[in-house]
């Protein structure tokens, strides 16, 4: 297995496992957004793998609708993770920029432009990543547009993430998780910026986003662990307080 495939499958396994772990909790109403984020991540990563992309796209007609689904999955995942992370970092400013009018406007414009560019492009044959259409100008623009929204949300959260990681009074698991999330977001910003200015980065075009998924999952897992532990401590404190009375 090549290095690229190793990162892709590692990202798929991690995101799928986290989604499965979160599913029972989501069904009980406990942070369903986190489950949704991991589920959409798993879909997006799966459709970046040729051996999965090609049969899925064949079922959809073989004209690369699977790539459009991948884009929508990424946008949805970024929105959910952005909202969750802004709340975890206690950053109302970042939250307003992501789920307030500015962020929703960027998302809506990105979705509309992505859809229009896909529709007007001539894509008669399945091609993972659409790399089979190097001379299609609309596809170059489509690829650039697909990086703008993830870069926007990540840029809104990088500073709050590292600020949370540096907060000495916060528990270690929360600070570690925040640091990991910040590192993953920085990877996304760098990858997106390089893609927008169209600087060729070779194998890193695959490694950066998929390693970001792995690091992000670890960071969100640490933050979620902190939340679960805090709730348990609070419950035990209430029980103890009630018993002593």
């Amino acid at each position: 297995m090549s290095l690229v495939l190793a990162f892709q499958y590692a990202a798929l396994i991690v995101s799928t496992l986290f989604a499965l772990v979160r599913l029972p909790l989501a069904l009980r109403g406990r942070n369903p957004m986190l489950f949704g984020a991991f589920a959409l991540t798993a879909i997006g990563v799966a459709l970046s793998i040729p051996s999965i992309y090609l049969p899925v796209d064949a079922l959809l007609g073989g004209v690369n609708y699977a790539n459009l689904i991948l884009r929508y999955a990424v946008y949805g995942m970024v929105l959910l993770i952005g909202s969750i992370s802004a709340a975890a970092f206690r950053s109302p400013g970042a939250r307003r920029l992501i789920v307030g009018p500015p962020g929703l406007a960027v998302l809506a414009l990105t979705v509309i432009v992505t859809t229009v560019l896909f529709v007007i492009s001539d894509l008669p044959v399945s091609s993972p990543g659409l790399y089979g259409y190097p001379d299609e100008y609309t596809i170059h623009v489509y690829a650039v547009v697909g990086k703008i929204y993830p870069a926007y949300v990540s840029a809104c959260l990088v500073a709050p993430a590292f600020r949370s990681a540096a907060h000495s009074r916060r528990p270690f698991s929360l600070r570690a998780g925040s640091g990991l999330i910040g590192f993953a977001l920085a990877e996304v910003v760098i990858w997106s910026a390089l893609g927008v200015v169209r600087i060729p980065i070779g194998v890193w075009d695959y490694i950066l986003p998929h390693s970001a998924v792995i690091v992000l999952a670890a960071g969100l897992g640490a933050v979620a662990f902190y939340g679960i532990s805090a709730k348990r401590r609070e419950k035990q404190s209430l029980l103890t307080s009630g018993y002593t009375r």
Side-chain angles (χ1 to χ4, degrees):
M1 183 183 295
S2 69
L3 182 62
V4 169
L5 279 177
F7 271 94
Q8 287 178 314
Y9 275 106
L12 177 59
I13 291 168
V14 168
S15 56
T16 301
L17 285 176
F18 270 80
L20 291 174
V21 168
R22 296 297 312 180
L23 178 57
L25 298 173
L27 293 175
R28 296 201 295 270
R30 294 176 59 181
N31 205 347
M33 289 175 60
L34 188 55
F35 162 74
F38 282 123
L40 289 172
T41 301
I43 292 171
V45 173
L47 292 177
S48 73
I49 301 173
S51 59
I52 298 175
Y53 179 93
L54 291 172
V56 170
D57 195 57
L59 291 174
L60 298 174
V63 290
N64 294 293
Y65 282 123
N67 190 275
L68 189 60
I69 293 172
L70 184 158
R71 300 287 178 179
Y72 292 157
V74 169
Y75 298 156
M77 175 267 290
V78 169
L79 173 63
L80 292 177
I81 288 179
S83 178
I84 294 167
S85 299
F89 302 148
R90 301 174 188 174
S91 177
R95 183 173 174 79
R96 281 194 299 271
L97 289 172
I98 295 169
V99 298
L104 295 180
V106 173
L107 174 60
L109 184 61
T110 301
V111 170
I112 291 169
V113 173
T114 295
T115 305
V116 170
L117 288 169
F118 182 87
V119 170
I120 66 176
S121 299
D122 183 23
L123 307 169
V125 180
S126 289
S127 174
L130 302 183
Y131 290 112
Y133 300 95
D135 301 321
E136 189 86 23
Y137 177 73
T138 54
I139 293 304
H140 289 300
V141 182
Y142 174 86
V144 170
V145 170
K147 292 180 171 64
I148 291 175
Y149 184 65
Y152 170 80
V153 173
S154 298
C156 290
L157 290 168
V158 168
F162 285 124
R163 193 160 53 239
S164 178
H167 201 300
S168 60
R169 293 185 179 181
R170 292 186 177 177
F172 173 76
S173 58
L174 181 57
R175 288 188 287 117
S178 298
L180 289 171
I181 293 172
F183 183 81
L185 294 171
E187 283 190 287
V188 173
V189 171
I190 293 170
W191 171 70
S192 300
L194 291 173
V196 168
V197 298
R198 298 184 64 182
I199 295 177
I201 54 176
V203 71
W204 289 99
D205 194 33
Y206 295 92
I207 293 176
L208 280 174
H210 289 95
S211 63
V213 168
I214 297 169
V215 176
L216 183 64
L220 288 171
V223 172
F225 175 77
Y226 161 75
I228 293 171
S229 300
K231 286 182 179 179
R232 284 179 179 173
R233 286 194 299 270
E234 182 181 354
K235 187 175 181 180
Q236 287 177 343
S237 177
L238 290 172
L239 289 172
T240 303
S241 176
Y243 180 76
T244 54
R245 287 177 190 174

